[in-house]
């Protein structure tokens, strides 16, 4: 699930909210690289059909239904990726509708980096960074491959495939001018009913554009179908079992795969877990609360420092943040001809820093804004920039097919919900209450209800949860660990979104040992 969706206080369809903070924003800072697109988007959406039926998790490849066998038996042509010669690229053909495989095909893009050295190769390790809507290919090619340890790199080919609807894999294109400016986090919203109605109108305009331009594809980009696509890729890679690392929304995709195909689960890591059993209302309410916990953790640390720019207590720091944001709403801070900072941008920077977490840069950004200097703030906003051209369209199209990811509430219901959201998060509650309307007008009903996942008989699955994760709160990791029958929970007592490859030797060692050797960390293991 996500980056925080960027919103504007108008119903203008060109300013429709962007993705929630459920992607790997921290990864951009870790890589230090520009994630450039190595391919052109791939066309070819086919007519829509009905939702695919649930798979038999005990089935073997030999038991694949006859209508799907040619997908499982196709030959992949791997070629050097243009501009990235150490990576190979290919195209995978999958059915638009698994229940009616003769209804047409979709073409998905995938990339891989072959295992290094002469060590014992285990197989392929599929990677998904989250979103939904984030390009797995961009993340892997853009630097994430280099973060894996030598033991993992010698054991696996690293593989990324953009899910259906995303960037290079038959993308959802609503043909609107969605924003590409680096402001992908929370937005201020008043409790005024007219303003809430304006948000609702904006969502409706965006929905109508998607229905006009991408309507035939919209029923077929859900997580259930994406999980089935991963099983086709697993077979074509020559692996009996799927080895997988998923972050944030990628954990929801991985858990869905495990529930569909438990006998085909290999070594699976789910980091920054989404709870598939949660309903959309609680999803947004608990995420607002998660950002509040993260903010107060920062404020508590800041209060103890002599260079804290906002005060000496959590209460004072929070009050001054609100005052500063409101002042920027009234008078935009300008620096040069092209830079203008409003209250929304300030909140965006705060949320981005809480995700990373980068508290030193956040203190510098707050100090700079007070002095009229936006340099540090622009650094934070730049790290939230989305490089996936259809990320907004894909985010909504995928989320709105899953009840846990996308609620459908009226503007009146949002008005009634605001007090509870503000109690959960004085700083972020208004923004997340607004998100309750994001799929209210969506033309396709949800195909994946909130439900527990158990994956009976699956190989051991490692779940990683960060105690003060703002975007996927720690209770979700514990809930998923309770649901999956073969899971083991690794706890990271820290701040920020997700844990693997974020600087913890304890976490990285535990995950690497599991991936390379199949050895789970001890039950109850906590890294600090």
């Amino acid at each position: 699930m996500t980056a925080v969706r960027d919103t504007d206080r108008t119903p203008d369809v060109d300013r429709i909210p962007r993705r929630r903070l459920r992607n790997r924003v921290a990864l951009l800072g870790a890589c230090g690289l520009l994630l450039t697109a190595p391919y052109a988007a791939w066309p070819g959406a086919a007519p829509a059909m009905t939702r695919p039926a649930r798979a038999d998790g005990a089935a073997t490849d030999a038991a694949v239904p006859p209508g799907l066998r040619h997908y499982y038996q196709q030959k992949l042509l791997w070629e050097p990726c243009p501009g990235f010669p150490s990576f190979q690229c290919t195209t995978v053909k999958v059915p638009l509708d698994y229940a009616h495989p003769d209804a047409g095909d979709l073409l998905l893009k995938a990339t891989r980096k072959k295992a290094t050295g002469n060590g014992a190769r285990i197989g392929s390790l599929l990677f998904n960074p989250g979103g939904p809507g984030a390009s797995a290919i961009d993340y892997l090619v853009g630097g994430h491959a280099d973060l894996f340890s030598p033991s993992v790199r010698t054991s696996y080919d690293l593989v990324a495939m953009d899910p259906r609807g995303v960037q290079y894999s038959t993308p959802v294109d609503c043909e609107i001018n969605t924003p590409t400016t680096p402001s992908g986090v929370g937005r201020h919203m008043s409790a005024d009913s007219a303003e809430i109605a304006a948000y609702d109108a904006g969502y409706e305009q965006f929905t109508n554009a998607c229905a006009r331009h991408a309507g035939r594809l919209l029923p077929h980009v859900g997580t259930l179908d994406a999980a089935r696509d991963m099983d086709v890729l697993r077979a074509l890679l020559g692996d009996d079992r799927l080895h997988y690392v998923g972050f944030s929304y990628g954990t929801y995709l991985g858990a869905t795969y495990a529930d569909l195909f438990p006998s085909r689960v290999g070594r699976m890591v789910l980091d920054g877990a989404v709870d598939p059993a949660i309903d959309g209302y609680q999803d947004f309410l608990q995420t607002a609360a998660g950002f509040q916990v993260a903010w107060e953790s920062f404020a508590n640390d800041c209060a103890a420092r002599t260079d804290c720019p906002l005060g000496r207590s959590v209460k004072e720091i929070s009050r001054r943040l609100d005052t500063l944001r409101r002042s920027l709403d009234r008078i935009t801070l300008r620096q040069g001809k092209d830079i203008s900072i409003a209250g929304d941008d300030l909140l965006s920077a705060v949320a981005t820093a809480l995700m990373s977490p980068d508290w030193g840069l956040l203190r510098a950004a707050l100090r700079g804004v007070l002095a009229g200097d936006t340099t540090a703030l622009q650094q934070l906003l730049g790290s939230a920039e989305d490089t996936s051209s259809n990320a907004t369209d894909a985010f909504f199209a995928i989320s709105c097919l899953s009840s846990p990811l996308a609620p459908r509430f009226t503007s009146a219901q949002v008005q009634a919900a605001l007090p509870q959201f503000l109690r959960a998060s004085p700083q972020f509650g208004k923004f997340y209450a607004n998100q309750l309307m994001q799929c209210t007008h969506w033309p396709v009903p949800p195909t994946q209800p909130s439900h527990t996942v158990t994956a009976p008989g699956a190989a051991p699955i490692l779940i990683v949860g960060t105690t003060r994760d703002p975007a996927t709160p720690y209770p979700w990791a514990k809930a998923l660990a309770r649901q999956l029958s073969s899971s083991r929970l690794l706890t990271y007592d820290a701040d920020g979104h997700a844990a693997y490859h974020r600087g913890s030797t304890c976490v990285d060692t535990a995950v690497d040992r599991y991936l390379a050797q199949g050895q789970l960390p001890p039950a109850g293991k906590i890294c600090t």
Side-chain angles (χ1 to χ4, degrees), residues 410-427:
T410 66
S411 57
Q413 289 171 320
V414 170
Q415 182 82 30
L418 271 174
Q420 185 177 18
F421 274 75
L422 288 172
R423 287 193 296 271
S425 176
Q427 269 67 48

Side-chain angles (χ1 to χ4, degrees), residues 393-481:
D393 302 353
F395 172 84
F396 280 90
I398 296 169
S399 296
C400 290
L401 293 182
S402 298
S403 296
L405 308 183
R408 301 175 183 231
F409 286 82
T410 66
S411 57
Q413 289 171 320
V414 170
Q415 182 82 30
L418 271 174
Q420 185 177 18
F421 274 75
L422 288 172
R423 287 193 296 271
S425 176
Q427 269 67 48
F428 297 94
K430 293 175 181 177
F431 167 76
Y432 277 104
N434 162 59
Q435 303 308 300
L436 294 175
M437 298 181 290
Q438 67 174 11
C439 293
T440 301
H441 305 286
W442 200 251
V444 183
T447 58
Q448 193 168 5
S450 302
H451 69 289
T452 58
V453 295
T454 57
I461 297 172
L462 179 59
I463 298 172
V464 186
T466 303
T467 54
R468 293 176 296 283
D469 188 325
T472 51
Y474 180 63
W476 293 0
K478 294 196 292 184
L480 184 59

Side-chain angles (χ1 to χ4, degrees), residues 191-278:
D192 180 75
S193 59
E195 190 166 355
I196 295 175
Y199 268 102
D200 186 40
Y203 285 122
E204 186 173 14
Q205 285 180 284
F206 176 79
T207 293
N208 291 339
C210 291
R212 285 194 306 272
H213 299 294
R216 295 190 303 168
L217 184 59
L218 295 184
H220 303 290
V221 294
T223 305
L224 284 166
D225 289 320
R228 290 175 175 275
D229 295 339
M230 292 201 305
D231 195 60
V232 173
L233 180 62
R234 169 203 59 78
L236 300 180
L237 292 169
D239 292 339
D240 293 331
R241 293 171 180 261
L242 178 76
H243 307 294
Y244 177 81
V245 175
F247 298 99
S248 201
Y249 164 78
T251 68
Y252 184 68
L253 177 58
T256 299
Y257 179 91
D259 208 35
L260 288 173
F261 306 103
S263 68
R264 303 179 196 177
V265 172
R267 296 174 187 176
M268 179 175 283
V269 178
L270 307 178
D271 184 6
V274 174
D275 178 5
I278 201 170

Side-chain angles (χ1 to χ4, degrees), residues 99-428:
H100 301 86
D102 58 349
D105 299 329
L106 297 180
L107 298 175
L108 311 182
K109 283 287 189 178
T111 188
R112 73 177 176 186
K113 190 167 190 177
K114 296 285 287 183
T116 59
N118 299 316
R121 180 182 176 279
I122 295 173
S124 297
L125 182 64
L126 189 62
F127 167 81
N128 185 279
S135 170
I137 291 174
D138 277 349
Y139 277 95
L140 192 67
V141 172
H144 197 275
D146 297 331
L147 299 182
F148 283 94
S149 69
S151 64
V152 174
R153 290 288 295 110
T154 59
S155 301
Y156 296 96
D157 298 337
L158 301 181
V159 178
M161 180 171 69
D162 278 2
R164 52 174 63 206
V166 175
Q167 188 71 335
Y168 309 116
S169 293
T170 313
V172 172
D173 184 1
C174 299
E175 298 189 17
I176 61 171
N177 184 25
T178 51
T180 56
T181 52
S183 51
V185 193
R187 292 295 195 179
H188 169 64
M189 185 182 80
S190 77
D192 180 75
S193 59
E195 190 166 355
I196 295 175
Y199 268 102
D200 186 40
Y203 285 122
E204 186 173 14
Q205 285 180 284
F206 176 79
T207 293
N208 291 339
C210 291
R212 285 194 306 272
H213 299 294
R216 295 190 303 168
L217 184 59
L218 295 184
H220 303 290
V221 294
T223 305
L224 284 166
D225 289 320
R228 290 175 175 275
D229 295 339
M230 292 201 305
D231 195 60
V232 173
L233 180 62
R234 169 203 59 78
L236 300 180
L237 292 169
D239 292 339
D240 293 331
R241 293 171 180 261
L242 178 76
H243 307 294
Y244 177 81
V245 175
F247 298 99
S248 201
Y249 164 78
T251 68
Y252 184 68
L253 177 58
T256 299
Y257 179 91
D259 208 35
L260 288 173
F261 306 103
S263 68
R264 303 179 196 177
V265 172
R267 296 174 187 176
M268 179 175 283
V269 178
L270 307 178
D271 184 6
V274 174
D275 178 5
I278 201 170
D279 64 64
Y281 184 92
Q282 286 297 320
D283 176 319
F284 284 87
L285 181 65
Q286 292 180 28
T287 302
F291 270 95
Q292 192 66 30
V293 168
W295 163 253
E296 291 179 2
S297 182
F298 161 78
N300 187 62
D301 176 83
C302 189
R305 297 175 179 270
T306 57
D307 65 342
C308 184
L310 294 186
R312 292 294 177 266
S313 70
V314 172
K315 183 177 181 180
E316 181 185 10
I317 292 169
S318 298
R319 177 180 55 78
R320 291 196 65 190
L321 175 69
D322 292 340
T323 300
L324 182 58
R325 176 178 52 76
R326 285 193 296 267
S327 69
L328 291 175
D329 283 337
R330 292 192 299 269
I331 304 175
T332 300
L333 177 62
R334 299 191 180 279
Q335 191 163 4
K337 293 190 302 181
D338 301 323
I339 303 299
S340 61
I341 301 296
D344 297 341
D345 301 304
L346 176 66
L347 197 59
S348 295
V350 170
T352 302
L354 297 178
M355 289 273 289
S356 297
D358 197 337
W359 290 358
L361 185 57
L362 178 55
R363 291 195 301 274
L366 294 170
R367 189 181 307 111
V369 170
L370 289 170
D373 181 1
T374 67
T375 303
L377 188 76
Q378 290 178 61
Q379 284 184 256
L380 285 172
L381 293 175
S383 70
E385 183 172 6
D386 191 288
T387 60
S388 298
S389 60
N390 84 319
T392 300
D393 302 353
F395 172 84
F396 280 90
I398 296 169
S399 296
C400 290
L401 293 182
S402 298
S403 296
L405 308 183
R408 301 175 183 231
F409 286 82
T410 66
S411 57
Q413 289 171 320
V414 170
Q415 182 82 30
L418 271 174
Q420 185 177 18
F421 274 75
L422 288 172
R423 287 193 296 271
S425 176
Q427 269 67 48
F428 297 94

